[in-house]
Amino acid sequence: AILGRTAEALRSGDPALADRALADARSMQPQADVMMSTAANVTEIARMSPMRWKQRGQVETYVSTVRDLDNAVRDARVMARRTSTLLRHGETPPPDLHLAIDALSRAIGIFADDLSQQDDFDEARQELIEAARMATATLPEAMTLNSASITAQVRSLAADLLLASGYTRDEIDERLDFD
């Protein structure tokens, strides 16, 4: 909903819609905080309980994924804030930036399905990379601090979810280097 509203705000030029996306993004932080707290508790249990020592590797993976998801929530909030600022300032967004955010939203849906089904993330990874590529391609169109920031957040959000999917930082750098 946050990314969909953000894309629609860019498409329509509606700063009030961007403000609603920002409010939605801010309201997600308590849920992200609960996830992080749960991850910390699970880590402590796995470290302290001899019965859980065999599960420490799985717990580490879970905690790492939760950290990356928390970062993705923050990225979405920054993207919504920058979109709101861009529209309130009367700046013209790059023509296809909303399409990149729509693509990112679809990629996140695929990612969520893969995560819940413990799937291999192949399709989600390709869609995340494509969304970042689309956003990067909009940069020469209308470069302002706000449009560059929105583009950077699309890339950052994609990178955080690629990390959560198991890619290394080197793999992400290689796949998101569009120059």
Side-chain angles (χ1 to χ4, degrees):
I2 295 165
L3 296 182
R5 276 200 179 112
T6 301
E8 183 55 35
L10 284 171
R11 194 173 5 266
S12 66
D14 183 355
L17 189 55
D19 288 340
R20 283 196 297 280
L22 178 56
D24 289 347
R26 286 178 174 151
S27 74
M28 285 186 65
Q29 194 56 53
Q31 294 167 334
D33 292 344
V34 167
M35 271 191 334
M36 291 298 290
S37 177
T38 300
N41 291 337
V42 168
T43 299
E44 188 67 21
I45 291 168
R47 186 175 35 237
M48 301 299 284
S49 173
M51 292 174 40
R52 302 288 181 210
W53 285 351
K54 289 185 254 173
Q55 297 170 328
R56 283 186 282 192
Q58 292 170 316
V59 168
E60 272 183 42
T61 300
Y62 168 78
V63 170
S64 176
T65 299
V66 167
R67 256 188 245 113
D68 296 331
L69 294 175
D70 181 55
N71 288 337
V73 168
R74 293 171 194 274
D75 293 336
R77 187 172 59 239
V78 172
M79 185 188 313
R81 183 181 313 116
R82 286 278 140 220
T83 300
S84 174
T85 302
L86 178 138
L87 295 174
R88 281 185 291 107
H89 290 179
E91 297 173 21
T92 302
D96 291 336
L97 187 53
H98 67 279
L99 296 175
I101 296 172
D102 282 335
L104 182 61
S105 181
R106 285 189 304 277
I108 289 171
I110 296 167
F111 178 87
D113 288 344
D114 288 352
L115 188 61
S116 69
Q117 297 171 13
Q118 298 182 340
D119 214 347
D120 61 11
F121 296 107
D122 287 343
E123 182 183 5
R125 287 173 174 162
Q126 290 307 311
E127 294 298 323
L128 290 164
I129 292 166
E130 179 60 15
R133 188 202 58 73
M134 290 171 68
T136 302
T138 70
L139 278 176
E141 296 295 323
M143 178 69 92
T144 67
L145 179 60
N146 290 313
S147 64
S149 294
I150 295 165
T151 298
Q153 290 312 127
V154 171
R155 186 188 188 285
S156 292
L157 206 157
D160 286 333
L161 293 180
L162 288 168
L163 267 174
S165 78
Y167 270 6
T168 65
R169 292 196 185 279
D170 288 341
E171 289 172 316
I172 292 167
D173 289 345
E174 179 183 319
R175 284 164 179 83
L176 297 185
D177 182 11
F178 304 114
D179 294 332

